[in-house]
Amino acid sequence: MSCALLLALIWGLYHESLAQYCVDQPHGQESFAGESITVPCSFSYLESISPESVNFVVKAAASDHPRFCGQMENIIYTFSTHGNRNYTHDQYAGRLSGQYDVRARTSSFTIKNLTKMDEQMYCCRFIINTLSHETIEWQHPEGTRIRVKGETEMILNQEHLILAFSGDIVTMIVRFTVKNRTMFHNVTKCDVFWSPSDRGCRSRTYSATCTQRISENIVSVTVNSSDESNGFYCYSITTFVGGANYTGQTNTGTQLLILQPSGASNINQTKEVEVKGSVIINCSFSVQDMISTINVEKRSVLWTQVYWMVGEPRGHFVYHPNEDYIHPDYKGKTKLIGRSDLLLEDFHAPDNTTLYCRVAVRYCLQSTISQNPFHTILQEGPGTVLRVRETTQSIPEASTSLVPTIVVVSCVGCAVLLFLILLIICLKSRKDMKRSDAGETIRESIDLSVYQNSAYENIERIQRKTTGTDVNMVYAVVKTSATTTAKNPPVSDKSEDDKMVYAVVKPSATTTAKKPPVSEESEVVYTSVKKR
C-alpha cells in the first residue's frame, strides 16, 4: 500500500471519528456595556465513549476566520472535571464563569461587566480523555459574535432558529431595548432583510409588514412558509422616545428552517381530555425512534426541543421556550411538566379545540467531508381534543312543570313547622305557671297551720312573686285529700283538669294560724288541685 493511500485512509478515519462530535451555539448575541451576557453551547459525542475527564474550553478572537476555534491559541477559559486544570485569562478574571452538564450534553459561559474590549468572536471547545487513554478534541467551527452596545444604542433580541412545516403561518418576533429607557417606544420605521445563506442577511430587502404589539417593545413579522422561505432574516428598527430617535440593527439574522414531515410520527398524545379550568395533556416520544426514521447508522443527539401549538393551519404557540412567542390567550397559563407534558391552566377556549405536541431533534451526522455536520428533524403528534366540561347543569325541560309544585310544598312545610314551634311554646308557657311578667320569683316559708282546716291538704310548694307594686302574689300547688268532709267545698266530677283555689291573706312579717281578714293590702294564693 502506498504512503499516499495510507495517509488518505488515516485522514478519512480521523474525520469519520470526529464526525460524531458536534457543537451547536448561536451565531450572535448583544448586550449593553456594564451588563452580563450568557452564551449556551450544546455538544454531543458517541454514547459508546466513557470519558475519564472532560475539559470545557472557551476561545476568543477578533478575527472572523472560520477556523480560529481550531487553533491552540486564544484560550481565555478552561474548566476541567479534575479541577486542577482550570484557567481564566487576566482580561476576564472575576468576570467569566462556565458550567456544563456532561449527561445532558449542555454547557454555557457568562461574561459580567461587559466592556467594548469584549466585542469579539467566542467559540466552545471540548476535550475528552477516555478510559482507554485516548484524547478527543472538537469545537464549533465559527463561534458566536458578541456585540456590546452603548448608552444611546438599541439592542435587538430574537430567536436564532425557527423550525416550521411547509404551510405553517410563521411569526418571527424581535424585542428591542434602549438602556435606561424602560418606557414604551413607538416604532417609526421597520425594515426586514433576507438572505438564503448569509447570516448577516444584508443582501436584499424582504417585503414584509412589521406589526408592533400594543404597549410592548416587540415587533413581529409574518412569513408564509415554503421551501423558498428558508434563510436568514435581519431587522432594522427605529423608535422615538423621550424626544430622541433610536435605531438598532441585528448583526446576525434569525434562521428560518422549513422542514418536511419525516413520515409516520413517533409522538404519542392522549386522544382527548375533559377540561374544567386546568388540565395536564400527555405527550410522549422516543428520540431514538424519531432518529430511526432517517437512514443513518451512527448519530449522537445535540439537543431536543418541545413546543405546543393550536389550530389549523398551525400558527399559534400554546407553549414555547421563548414566552414572547406564546399566544396572548395562553400566555402565563402553560408550562411543561417533566420532559414534554403540558400543564394548561385557566382554559377558556371553545369546545373541541385541538392542541398539537411538536418535538424537534438536532443530531450529529457521520460525515467525511464536513466538520460539525448535523441534521434537524421535526415531528408532530396526532393532536389532543379538549372537551370543555360544563360548570352548571340545566334543568330538563320535562321537569320544569314541577317547579311551582315544589315551591308550594316547601312553603306549606315551612308554615306547618312554624305552627308546631308556636304550639310547643304555648304549651310550655301554660305548663310553667311559675313564670309571670310581674317580676322575679322568690321562695318563702309559710306556716302550714293556716290551712289545717281548709278543704285542701298535701301542700307541695308555695312561692311568692314579687311585683313592682305593694301587692304580692303567693301561689301554692296542693292535692285533694282522699275524702271530702262536709266543710269541704264540693268539687266537680265533670272535669279532670286541675282546679285553681284562690286565698287572700294579709301580708305581715310572720304568718299566724288565724286567717286574716281580706283587705286591699293582701296576697293572693294560687293552688293547683288535682281530682282524685
Side-chain angles (χ1 to χ4, degrees), residues 17-24 41-47 49 102 104-106 126 128 136 138-139 299-303 362-365 372-374:
S17 63
L18 286 184
Q20 302 302 313
Y21 304 86
C22 298
V23 179
D24 195 18
C41 297
S42 301
F43 61 95
S44 68
Y45 57 87
L46 290 176
E47 298 292 335
I49 296 296
V102 176
R105 308 292 202 269
T106 59
F126 297 89
I128 287 181
I136 304 173
W138 75 104
Q139 64 281 320
R299 56 259 172 181
S300 54
V301 177
L302 267 167
W303 50 256
R362 174 163 286 186
Y363 56 92
C364 194
L365 289 171
N372 206 53
F374 52 75

Side-chain angles (χ1 to χ4, degrees), residues 185-427:
H185 296 236
N186 183 33
V187 174
T188 58
K189 186 180 179 181
C190 177
D191 295 318
V192 183
F193 304 92
W194 172 81
S195 174
S197 57
D198 182 15
R199 293 183 177 87
C201 50
R202 291 290 185 269
S203 61
R204 68 186 74 176
T205 301
Y206 183 81
S207 179
T209 301
C210 296
T211 303
Q212 184 176 11
R213 287 189 184 176
I214 299 175
S215 302
E216 287 191 87
N217 296 332
I218 291 178
V219 168
S220 62
V221 175
T222 301
V223 176
N224 294 322
S225 60
S226 64
D227 293 340
E228 291 76 21
S229 304
N230 280 318
F232 296 84
Y233 293 78
C234 300
Y235 306 87
S236 176
I237 296 175
T238 301
T239 66
F240 181 81
V241 61
N245 287 315
Y246 298 88
T247 300
Q249 295 182 349
T250 52
N251 297 291
T252 56
T254 296
Q255 182 182 10
L256 174 59
L257 185 58
I258 307 299
L259 301 173
Q260 298 298 326
S262 57
S265 174
N266 298 100
I267 301 173
N268 298 315
Q269 288 186 242
T270 305
K271 185 175 181 180
E272 64 178 52
V273 296
E274 190 178 58
V275 56
K276 178 184 177 182
S278 64
V279 66
I280 295 178
I281 307 173
N282 176 260
C283 173
S284 59
F285 62 93
S286 167
V287 173
Q288 294 303 322
D289 288 344
M290 293 178 64
I291 296 177
S292 66
T293 60
I294 306 297
N295 188 21
V296 178
E297 293 183 0
K298 296 182 179 180
R299 56 259 172 181
S300 54
V301 177
L302 267 167
W303 50 256
T304 61
Q305 190 59 263
V306 176
Y307 315 90
W308 282 83
M309 306 191 75
V310 62
E312 292 280 357
R314 314 291 188 271
H316 299 304
F317 285 98
V318 175
Y319 170 80
H320 193 284
N322 184 344
E323 291 187 358
D324 288 340
Y325 278 81
I326 299 177
H327 190 273
D329 290 346
Y330 302 95
K331 194 170 185 178
K333 301 176 182 178
T334 59
K335 63 180 179 180
L336 289 187
I337 302 297
R339 182 175 67 165
S340 54
D341 292 347
L342 177 71
L343 171 61
L344 176 60
E345 299 176 325
D346 194 23
F347 177 76
H348 294 293
D351 195 15
N352 297 334
T353 298
T354 304
L355 303 186
Y356 299 89
C357 178
R358 278 189 178 181
V359 180
V361 178
R362 174 163 286 186
Y363 56 92
C364 194
L365 289 171
Q366 177 180 356
S367 174
T368 59
I369 60 175
S370 64
Q371 186 182 9
N372 206 53
F374 52 75
H375 186 71
T376 307
I377 61 175
L378 180 67
Q379 287 191 6
E380 183 176 81
T384 298
V385 179
L386 303 188
R387 306 290 187 186
V388 180
R389 188 200 312 172
E390 296 294 337
T391 56
T392 58
Q393 296 181 350
S394 58
I395 300 175
E397 184 178 354
S399 64
T400 54
S401 60
L402 298 177
V403 174
T405 305
I406 295 174
V407 174
V408 172
V409 172
S410 300
C411 293
V412 172
C414 292
V416 173
L417 180 62
L418 181 61
F419 173 79
L420 292 176
I421 293 174
L422 293 175
L423 180 62
I424 293 172
I425 294 175
C426 292
L427 292 176

